[in-house]
Amino acid sequence: MNTNKKNVKKNISGIDLYFKRIFALMFGAVGVTALAAYMTIWGGGLQYLFNFQTGGMSGLYYVLLFGGLALSIWAQIRVFSMKPTTAALLLALYAVLIGVTMTPLIAVALAVNPASILLAFIVAALMFACMAMFGYKTVKDLSFLGVFLMMGMIGLIIIGLLSFIWPTMLGGAFGTIVCLIGVLVFALFTAYDMQNLKRAYTVVGDEYQKNQLAVLGALHLYISFIAMFQYLLSLFNRE
């Protein structure tokens, strides 16, 4: 009986440490993104991302944007074949790319309504915290959401890509609906990923693999948080 109690306590302390590692990596990545965005805007880097002659984004912007997307996909596929420190460095690099490519959106918010940046961050943080807690605590199996969330994310990516070709497509009510759907999809992704990370901890027995899994979990939660922030910021600055 005493041995069982000790094992339970050890498992609880182990999973607590596991999630502390995940959130430390995730919020560290958020901090890196904020710093990269700040340095890009105030360091004059925005001029290299925006083509003032055509009124659109520059070639460098698209290289960084799609490079970041490719990096995130590659890192998720290869995370269990690389050292946790290497994976963490790639997460930091991805956070820098996101921070740089996010600057046009932040620059618009600074020009239109600077307070919306803080408001979007607070709302995203509260939503993230509530959905993460729900995903961790709920006994309901959320695996049925996986297909729908993946389809929703792919749809949002396709709409985002099409908006580069037809910038006006996200105007009016359609753009507002897309922002609301984006917030909902990534809020649900937060709960879904938290439950999967909790379950994965009990399956993965090796501590080294748990460290690798922690980086992967941090990447997933980071993507959800940043996506919610971006969609909320776009929503708050719509005309």
Side-chain angles (χ1 to χ4, degrees), residues 152-233:
M153 184 175 67
I154 292 173
L156 290 169
I157 292 174
I158 291 173
I159 291 173
L161 294 175
L162 291 176
S163 69
F164 291 132
I165 303 173
W166 298 289
T168 57
M169 72 175 293
L170 290 180
F174 180 71
T176 300
I177 292 172
V178 170
C179 289
L180 291 172
I181 292 175
V183 173
L184 176 62
V185 166
F186 286 100
L188 291 174
F189 250 125
T190 300
Y192 174 79
D193 285 333
M194 278 295 292
Q195 187 175 81
N196 284 342
L197 288 169
K198 183 180 179 181
R199 289 175 175 174
Y201 178 84
T202 61
V203 175
V204 178
D206 183 75
E207 192 65 27
Y208 188 79
Q209 288 185 324
K210 286 178 180 177
N211 288 336
Q212 293 172 316
L213 184 63
V215 181
L216 180 62
L219 174 60
H220 282 187
L221 295 178
Y222 165 82
I223 290 173
S224 293
F225 178 81
I226 290 297
M228 280 193 289
F229 169 75
Q230 289 181 302
Y231 280 116
L232 285 168
L233 189 58

Side-chain angles (χ1 to χ4, degrees), residues 84-105:
T85 51
T86 303
L89 288 174
L90 289 178
L91 173 59
L93 176 59
Y94 178 64
V96 170
L97 294 175
I98 291 296
V100 173
T101 54
M102 198 193 300
T103 51
L105 177 62

Side-chain angles (χ1 to χ4, degrees), residues 109-128:
L110 286 171
V112 176
N113 183 13
S116 65
I117 299 174
L118 179 60
L119 178 61
F121 183 85
I122 292 173
V123 174
L126 289 174
M127 290 184 66
F128 178 86

Side-chain angles (χ1 to χ4, degrees), residues 13-30:
S13 62
I15 198 169
D16 286 344
L17 182 62
Y18 165 72
F19 274 107
K20 284 180 181 179
R21 188 179 299 119
I22 289 174
F23 287 119
L25 288 166
M26 179 216 151
F27 287 114
V30 171

Side-chain angles (χ1 to χ4, degrees), residues 49 57 59-72 94 97-98 101-102 160-161 164 230:
L49 303 176
M57 308 312 297
L60 176 61
Y61 175 84
Y62 291 111
V63 169
L64 295 176
L65 178 67
F66 291 112
L69 179 61
L71 177 63
S72 68
Y94 178 64
L97 294 175
I98 291 296
T101 54
M102 198 193 300
L161 294 175
F164 291 132
Q230 289 181 302

